[in-house]
Structure formats: C-alpha cells, structure tokens
Amino acid sequence: MGRPGYGRGEILPEGFYSRETALVARDLLGRILVHNSLQGPAAGMIVETEAYLQGDPACHAHRGITPRNRAMFGPPGRAYIYFTYGMHHCFNVVTAAEGMGEAVLIRALEPLEGVDLMRRRRGRQRLAELCSGPARLVRAMGIDPGMYGHDLTREPLFLVRGAEIPGEKVEVTARIGIKVAANLPLRFYIRGNSFVSKK
DNA sequence: GGAACGATTGAT
DNA sequence: TCAATCGTTCCT
C-alpha cells in the first residue's frame, strides 16, 4: 500500500537539512509536511519559518545541551518539539551538522489534506485558524510530543519536496515573540499567502 | 528548594 | 490588553 495523497511525494532526504540553517529555513517554504496518523492523513504546505542559530541568544541551544534541547544537537532532519507557556507545543526541524544545536521553527502551514481532521483536532472551523501559528499547526497535524527526535525522512511524520518558491515571493523579517536578538532577519514567509501567522 | 519566564493562543 | 498554565532553567 502506498502512502495516501500528498504523502506520495518525494521525501526530502537528510542532506536537505544538513545545510546552513537560515538557508534551510528559506528552502523549507513550499515544502509539504505530512502526518499519516491512525486517525487519517493530514498535510500542509510550509508558508512561514524561523531559523534559530548557535550563538543566537534566542535559540534554546544557546547555553549548551540540556535534557530539553538535546535533539537540536543530534542528526539533521529530526523533530525538535518543545512545550511552552504551560499549554502549547511547537515543532522544529533540526538542521546543520550533527553537534551544531540549530533548528528551524515551523510557524505556519497552508492546509492541503485532512482538513476535516484538522478541524476536529483544533475545535475550529475556519481554514485560516487551523495551521496559522506554531502551536496551532502542532495540534491540527496531530503531532505528539512523543515524536521528539523522530526521523523526518520516515513514516508517519515526514516532509515531501512540494514546490520551490521563487526568490521574489520570499519575505524576510525579524522573528516573532522573542525579546532577545529581536532584530535578526531570520523569519521567512511566502509573500501574499493568507495562511502566514499574524503579528 | 524556589522562582522567574516563555520561539503562544484565545477571550475580553 | 490580559489571563491561562506548568516544564525548564537558573539561582540560592
């Protein structure tokens, strides 16, 4: 049995992630996140990302390895999932060489498949409220904290190639919701896409 | 052991 | 504009 729907696309190989983190963050735009869960498939196109770098005080790995951030120092192409504000989880892809402590936060998706499942998981009807925000998309996609460290080149959670977004459609700004290093141009989104999270 | 804080969200 | 809500990290 083949994978359903968007999950039939070419899975991004580990080499996609083992590059410079800001480059990966930009290149992730247009790629498709797929989760084939027991409840059914869900997929969305990545429309907004943020890069978190070593030596960057806003990065969770800035002060070295801890129990929470250890996945960031592991092999690229794995999931780094963290709990925040006492109630939300956010999803990152680990980037750069093993040992580097860098990752890309996925901030928003354009829902493509499994929209009704996303609506049930989110308890919201409007398409624009399903995956526009890092904690929202974790809920909508059914990403479980138990997937911490999961290899994103494998079922049931993986990324497929999707489309390449041309440079003129990529917007670069400061990152959202941080108090340090708040001026660095490390947020990337698809210009004009209505599923980008709001400020 | 204690406390401050957070890569957010949704309601007011 | 503000409350919810608690694990992580750092300080004493």
Side-chain angles (χ1 to χ4, degrees):
Chain A
M1 287 242 292
R3 295 183 299 274
Y6 284 91
R8 283 184 219 134
E10 179 204 348
I11 292 182
L12 292 174
E14 180 176 314
F16 179 91
Y17 305 99
S18 63
R19 298 177 291 160
E20 195 239 323
T21 297
L23 176 64
V24 177
R26 180 256 178 267
D27 201 14
L28 278 167
L29 298 176
R31 312 306 181 181
I32 298 169
L33 179 65
V34 180
H35 184 200
N36 289 322
S37 75
L38 294 174
Q39 301 162 287
M45 180 176 73
I46 296 172
V47 301
E48 179 183 1
T49 63
E50 286 178 355
Y52 286 86
L53 312 177
Q54 207 155 270
D56 158 18
C59 179
H60 288 171
H62 178 236
R63 291 178 223 203
I65 191 165
T66 67
R68 175 176 72 159
N69 68 24
R70 67 184 163 73
M72 296 181 79
F73 292 87
R78 307 298 178 98
Y80 167 55
I81 300 165
Y82 67 90
F83 180 68
T84 191
Y85 289 103
M87 64 191 88
H88 301 300
H89 290 275
C90 296
F91 169 76
N92 300 247
V93 299
V94 176
T95 53
E98 183 166 0
M100 280 293 285
E102 304 196 344
V104 174
L105 173 69
I106 308 302
R107 285 198 57 91
L109 306 175
E110 175 173 337
L112 296 176
E113 183 178 3
V115 171
D116 287 338
L117 181 54
M118 292 180 182
R119 288 192 168 110
R120 287 200 296 279
R121 285 168 169 160
R122 286 274 296 124
R124 288 285 185 290
Q125 291 303 305
R126 294 184 51 235
L127 208 54
E129 294 183 355
L130 297 180
C131 296
S132 297
R136 288 174 166 187
L137 72 88
V138 163
R139 281 298 288 269
M141 292 292 291
I143 296 172
D144 189 87
M147 291 171 150
Y148 185 97
H150 171 74
D151 181 349
L152 295 168
T153 68
R154 297 182 171 276
E155 294 273 5
L157 181 68
F158 53 94
L159 283 89
V160 301
R161 196 165 289 284
E164 178 125 2
I165 304 300
E168 64 267 20
K169 295 198 77 174
V170 176
E171 199 78 46
V172 185
T173 72
R175 294 169 294 181
I176 292 179
I178 56 175
K179 291 180 174 147
V180 291
N183 56 334
L184 300 180
L186 292 173
R187 172 175 176 248
F188 303 85
Y189 65 90
I190 299 177
R191 177 180 304 156
N193 185 285
S194 61
F195 295 93
V196 172
S197 73
K198 306 211 172 196
K199 257 187 163 174

